[in-house]
Amino acid sequence: MHFGLGWGQLNGTSDFKNPLSYVHDSFLDRPAETAGRGGAFNPSQYFSGPSVSPFYGISYRLNKNLFLNFEKDTILIDGPRMPYPDKENDYSFGLKYSLNKNLSLGLSYERGSYFSLGFVYKNDPRATKSYEYQKANTSVGDNKYTQLIKNLEENGIGVNKITETSRSLGLELTQFIHSDIALVEQIIKESGRDAGINKSIKKDVKIANLSAVTEIDESFKRNAKVIYERDTARVFSTNTTARFRPFFASREEFFKGAFLLENDSEFVLKENLFFNTNLKYSIANNFDDLRFPPVDTYPAQVRSDIKQYLKNMDKGILVGRAQLDYHLTPKKNHHLMISGGILEDMFSGYGLEYLYFKQNTNYAYGFEVFNVRKRDYDWGFGHLDYKNLTYSANLYYRNYGSIPFDMKISAGEYLAGDLGSTIEFKRQFSNGVSFGVFATFTDVSTEQFGEGSFDKGIIFNIPIYGNFINYTWRPLTKDPGAKIIRKNSLHDLLVKFQPIN
């Protein structure tokens, strides 16, 4: 059951006098809806007005899988903010049938005016299935080192090098599947035991040749001999998957979207030099009637022309990314990434990122600098006239304990040339689900920014069916506060082996 009192847009029936007026008469006066700017906080309107409307509802389980829902809806259909469809009454009824613990279907008759169909998919982000170790098929002639390599690779861990001293074995690993370092250590332990390795094992874990976990010190390297070293021949991997690209709250229509086939390919030219591509093909979309131009484009149009790109999505194969990345850890805990090419859907360019990241700490810091140029609307290799040098200093913090979160604070110059800072909070679960919020404040004033006042949004990634739902939603697409949408950052790569908070 649920129950509440509605003011403003939820006060469609005006059944009772505002109870807060007994606390103070000021709650009887509600300022005009036009007193504030869209997207801004208007506390003078909170809980105010001469009357309130009670709304309520109940969900009753008829049997194991079937639910009956009833609700009183007091939305003001002709309110000052936006009109709602006409209604015959304030009551809605619905039936929901659970096909299984994750998926349910629903049918409803809403406000005496229309029927609707819906579905709900739900899952517990914390309900992860424990990994089962897989022993590899080995040959009779395989020595213990070959058996170890096969066992590790069977469980998704690549081996770059094996070194050995009289007391210990050193493993340099390249690992992309498991993000839990405790699981990696368990797989190493079981792989060594099945291969007949009795020595203690030290490990170095590398991601794109960046040192993520380091246990092999200089003393070990001086005394060790190389047992195995992987052939560094070029490696190619590719993956094609379906993805959904939503576009919410355009002035033409609330919901727009596209179903895409996307191909992501990676060429490992050297152990620390990668070439990544992203190609898109639109199976279906409803972007063709996007026609209203943006209202505010100060100080430069870098994101607000997104509709021009979306309208061209049905013109065959589109290039979303084609970039080179060079990774380097020149000194312990100091990491560099140099990138260049088509960096994202709307910008090309080149630049570098530096990050100080020390394992087993909950903070990191660094900076990034990129010289970028605006791509044209055909999703090819052409460009528009706009270009800029964008840079930022970045601080990362991971909080553990009763209130776990990841925080990122950055400050610098954004794509449109404005100066300011961004704060972001995010929570990530062990199965890859993540949710977050962010807000950006720059030297662009509220009046110059226009509706919305400042840049903010919600980040969510739900890894069902691969990476089907991965989206950053802004209530309004504006130019101030815009950043390059990068494939990877150094912190994204290296934080994989930190414990999940």
Side-chain angles (χ1 to χ4, degrees):
M1 293 180 286
H2 72 267
F3 175 84
L5 295 177
W7 288 260
Q9 193 77 36
L10 291 176
N11 186 22
T13 56
S14 301
D15 294 318
F16 299 103
K17 183 179 179 180
N18 185 353
L20 293 179
S21 65
Y22 298 104
V23 178
H24 199 277
D25 290 342
S26 62
F27 285 104
L28 290 171
D29 299 321
R30 184 179 184 87
E33 298 283 0
T34 56
R37 181 182 295 273
F41 296 108
N42 297 309
S44 61
Q45 293 183 350
Y46 296 171
F47 311 114
S48 31
S51 62
V52 296
S53 299
F55 56 89
Y56 47 84
I58 186 170
S59 179
Y60 183 79
R61 188 171 73 176
L62 298 173
N63 58 42
K64 182 179 179 181
N65 297 318
L66 186 62
F67 294 80
L68 172 66
N69 299 316
F70 164 78
E71 182 178 65
K72 182 181 181 181
D73 181 351
T74 60
I75 288 177
L76 188 63
I77 64 171
D78 56 351
R81 288 190 180 274
M82 61 182 297
Y84 282 80
D86 290 338
K87 61 180 180 179
E88 295 296 325
N89 56 60
D90 297 327
Y91 303 101
S92 299
F93 303 86
L95 289 173
K96 184 180 73 172
Y97 185 78
S98 296
L99 297 175
N100 53 49
K101 66 178 183 179
N102 301 112
L103 181 64
S104 60
L105 302 177
L107 170 68
S108 61
Y109 183 54
E110 301 187 24
R111 294 178 283 184
S113 299
Y114 57 91
F115 287 95
S116 66
L117 294 170
F119 72 92
V120 174
Y121 176 84
K122 60 183 179 181
N123 207 340
D124 183 356
R126 297 165 296 180
T128 55
K129 184 179 179 181
S130 59
Y131 181 79
E132 295 182 4
Y133 169 78
Q134 305 293 320
K135 185 176 180 180
N137 295 322
T138 57
S139 304
V140 177
D142 290 342
N143 60 35
K144 59 184 180 181
Y145 306 110
T146 302
Q147 292 180 45
L148 175 63
I149 293 168
K150 287 184 176 181
N151 287 337
L152 290 170
E153 291 182 345
E154 181 69 22
N155 290 275
I157 299 176
V159 181
N160 283 349
K161 184 189 292 188
I162 299 178
T163 54
E164 186 178 34
T165 67
S166 59
R167 295 184 178 181
S168 303
L169 198 71
L171 294 179
E172 184 181 295
L173 306 173
T174 300
Q175 200 272 14
F176 293 101
I177 295 179
H178 311 292
S179 59
D180 184 352
I181 190 62
L183 177 57
V184 173
E185 291 171 344
Q186 182 63 31
I187 292 172
I188 292 172
K189 181 178 179 181
E190 295 191 43
S191 297
R193 182 192 61 204
D194 287 343
I197 304 292
N198 299 317
K199 294 181 177 181
S200 65
I201 297 178
K202 297 177 180 288
K203 63 183 179 299
D204 273 4
V205 179
K206 292 184 177 293
I207 300 176
N209 207 44
L210 300 168
S211 297
V213 177
T214 304
E215 295 178 351
I216 299 175
D217 55 24
E218 292 300 323
S219 175
F220 181 92
K221 292 178 180 179
R222 285 195 300 269
N223 298 314
K225 64 178 180 179
V226 177
I227 303 298
Y228 164 82
E229 194 159 11
R230 181 176 62 89
D231 183 9
T232 57
R234 296 181 180 181
V235 178
F236 170 73
S237 61
T238 186
N239 177 56
T240 301
T241 186
R243 289 192 181 131
F244 178 61
R245 171 77 175 266
F247 184 60
F248 294 108
S250 69
R251 286 186 290 156
E252 294 83 1
E253 190 176 357
F254 176 75
F255 172 78
K256 296 286 187 180
F259 284 100
L260 305 173
L261 276 181
E262 291 200 33
N263 174 267
D264 292 291
S265 297
E266 181 176 79
F267 302 81
V268 183
L269 305 177
K270 292 184 178 181
E271 61 181 5
N272 56 358
L273 182 61
F274 299 78
F275 180 64
N276 290 281
T277 62
N278 169 263
L279 303 177
K280 310 174 193 289
Y281 181 81
S282 175
I283 301 173
N285 71 74
N286 61 346
F287 296 142
D288 55 321
D289 64 342
L290 292 172
R291 60 192 182 279
F292 296 128
V295 176
D296 303 293
T297 61
Y298 182 85
Q301 190 171 51
V302 293
R303 293 294 187 200
S304 58
D305 56 349
I306 179 64
K307 293 179 183 179
Q308 302 288 4
Y309 293 90
L310 297 179
K311 286 195 297 185
N312 286 335
M313 262 198 162
D314 56 358
K315 293 187 176 180
I317 297 176
L318 312 174
V319 180
R321 176 176 286 107
Q323 72 179 59
L324 282 165
D325 293 306
Y326 180 76
H327 305 85
L328 185 65
T329 302
K331 186 178 179 181
K332 186 177 180 180
N333 303 326
H334 298 268
H335 310 279
L336 288 171
M337 177 163 61
I338 302 170
S339 303
I342 298 176
L343 303 175
E344 49 138 296
D345 294 349
M346 299 172 71
F347 280 90
S348 299
Y350 58 89
L352 65 87
E353 180 189 6
Y354 161 79
L355 184 73
Y356 177 83
F357 183 94
K358 184 178 180 181
Q359 65 185 79
N360 302 322
T361 60
N362 59 352
Y363 70 90
Y365 57 84
F367 65 86
E368 57 190 89
V369 181
F370 281 86
N371 191 352
V372 296
R373 190 174 178 187
K374 192 83 156 53
R375 297 180 63 192
D376 66 21
Y377 303 133
D378 293 328
W379 296 80
F381 299 97
H383 292 87
L384 304 176
D385 291 336
Y386 183 78
K387 58 184 177 180
N388 190 29
L389 182 71
T390 178
Y391 54 87
S392 69
N394 306 312
L395 172 66
Y396 304 86
Y397 174 77
R398 171 166 283 195
N399 192 63
Y400 296 92
S402 58
I403 308 178
F405 63 84
D406 287 289
M407 180 183 72
K408 178 184 178 182
I409 299 175
S410 60
E413 181 171 331
Y414 294 83
L415 284 175
D418 47 328
L419 300 172
S421 60
T422 299
I423 183 167
E424 174 186 313
F425 290 95
K426 187 167 64 173
R427 174 74 195 277
Q428 182 167 341
F429 297 90
S430 56
N431 69 343
V433 172
S434 62
F435 299 97
V437 295
F438 67 91
T440 299
F441 304 91
T442 74
D443 56 359
V444 175
S445 68
T446 298
E447 289 73 22
Q448 291 167 329
F449 189 95
E451 184 181 3
S453 303
F454 61 96
D455 190 47
K456 64 272 191 183
I458 300 171
I459 306 164
F460 53 91
N461 181 66
I462 307 172
I464 59 173
Y465 307 113
N467 201 25
F468 187 69
I469 300 176
N470 183 10
Y471 190 62
T472 298
W473 178 69
R474 288 173 166 85
L476 294 162
T477 302
K478 293 296 190 78
D479 298 303
K483 292 184 173 184
I484 286 289
I485 303 172
R486 299 177 57 197
K487 182 181 188 304
N488 288 309
S489 70
L490 287 172
H491 191 262
D492 290 339
L493 294 171
L494 293 168
V495 81
K496 285 184 177 182
F497 295 105
Q498 295 290 95
I500 297 295
N501 58 3

